[in-house]
Amino acid sequence: MNEDYFILNNECSLDVGIVVVELPSITIPKQRIEEETVLGMDGVLTITDGTYEPTIKQCKVYYTGENIDSLCNYLKDGPVIFSNLPDRYYNAKIVSEIPINYLFKNNDYGSWYEFTISFRCQPFGYSTDNEALIITSKDSEVYNYCSYYSKPVITIYGSGDINLFIGNTQITLKDVDEYITINTVKMRTYKDSKRQNDKKIGDFPNLNPGSNNITWDGNVSKIEIIPNFRYLV
């Protein structure tokens, strides 16, 4: 596939007649900060909580199809992959108006109207490789090959009291019955639909860039990790 494209909700733009003229530029999202003036201090005091703002990624395209309903059904919010960064996807909303009347005005004559699709993306690109990692032995390693720490979903299969160590983070789990899930994305601990935050002591773990050692004390048969690796760009 030599042409530029994007994949929206697992469907390629080329397959629905959208030809990409210009892909979004590659940018770093803006860090969320506040600035305060402090009496007696030069300049300003910059305060940040380490979070980032959403970004707008714009694609210049034109449409070669003839079906308005098909086009409208395709252009919906969801995960999007751009062909200049095919190893990651962004959680996106389409925030631009699509000029349908211009798109179909001159189709009989083979003239196509160029327009822009604006995707409002959450600040991180998530790896398209997000298969679950299965760990069955102590002192194992999970390697985060991306440029930013990730927020994994971890299910521990075992019983009783368990001390889990992920990198520099220690988590104590009390009275585990078969299995328990620690979800750093949602900051929740549960078994199926039953909340079990009261069984967890310690911070929610991250997977930092590079090597992350995994070990434990207690009765554990295996650990399943959905890594959610992500990029800042």
Side-chain angles (χ1 to χ4, degrees):
M1 186 180 292
N2 295 322
E3 297 178 277
D4 289 329
Y5 62 91
F6 61 85
I7 298 172
L8 181 60
N9 291 309
N10 297 315
E11 189 171 6
C12 182
S13 59
L14 296 173
D15 294 338
V16 297
I18 294 178
V19 176
V20 174
V21 178
E22 183 178 322
L23 287 164
S25 57
I26 298 174
T27 59
I28 297 174
K30 180 181 177 182
Q31 193 170 36
R32 186 173 287 128
I33 63 173
E34 293 182 2
E35 293 184 343
E36 292 186 1
T37 301
V38 179
L39 189 64
M41 175 181 173
D42 295 324
V44 295
L45 177 65
T46 301
I47 303 170
T48 179
D49 60 0
T51 59
Y52 291 84
E53 301 284 354
T55 60
I56 300 295
K57 298 185 181 295
Q58 294 184 327
C59 270
K60 289 185 179 179
V61 303
Y62 62 89
Y63 179 61
T64 63
E66 299 177 352
N67 190 319
I68 295 177
D69 294 325
S70 175
L71 177 64
C72 292
N73 286 334
Y74 176 69
L75 294 175
K76 292 183 176 179
D77 301 340
V80 60
I81 300 171
F82 302 105
S83 59
N84 56 344
L85 288 173
D87 61 348
R88 65 201 70 181
Y89 70 89
Y90 301 89
N91 293 315
K93 292 182 177 293
I94 295 176
V95 295
S96 56
E97 294 184 0
I98 309 301
I100 297 295
N101 57 323
Y102 288 102
L103 300 185
F104 292 90
K105 184 177 181 180
N106 295 316
N107 277 11
D108 292 340
Y109 305 98
S111 298
W112 310 106
Y113 182 82
E114 184 177 293
F115 64 103
T116 298
I117 302 175
S118 295
F119 297 92
R120 186 176 187 267
C121 299
Q122 295 298 331
F124 296 99
Y126 288 88
S127 173
T128 55
D129 180 11
N130 195 35
E131 293 186 8
L133 308 173
I134 306 298
I135 295 174
T136 57
S137 60
K138 289 184 179 182
D139 296 318
S140 296
E141 177 185 288
V142 171
Y143 193 84
N144 180 356
Y145 57 85
C146 292
S147 59
Y148 206 72
Y149 74 86
S150 73
K151 297 182 176 183
V153 178
I154 302 173
T155 300
I156 301 95
Y157 293 84
S159 60
D161 295 345
I162 297 168
N163 284 319
L164 177 64
F165 301 87
I166 300 178
N168 295 323
T169 301
Q170 177 180 350
I171 303 153
T172 299
L173 300 169
K174 308 295 289 184
D175 194 23
V176 175
D177 181 17
E178 296 185 277
Y179 57 89
I180 191 170
T181 297
I182 302 170
N183 190 325
T184 301
V185 177
K186 296 182 178 180
M187 299 188 73
R188 289 179 55 212
T189 305
Y190 50 83
K191 179 183 179 184
D192 299 324
S193 59
K194 184 179 179 180
R195 298 187 66 176
Q196 298 198 335
N197 285 340
D198 58 328
K199 291 190 174 186
K200 172 188 162 295
I201 302 171
D203 295 332
F204 286 91
N206 298 318
L207 295 175
N208 293 316
S211 177
N212 295 265
N213 188 63
I214 311 291
T215 191
W216 61 83
D217 295 323
N219 182 23
V220 174
S221 59
K222 70 174 181 179
I223 296 176
E224 179 180 288
I225 301 177
I226 300 174
N228 296 323
F229 292 141
R230 59 185 182 171
Y231 301 88
L232 184 57
V233 174

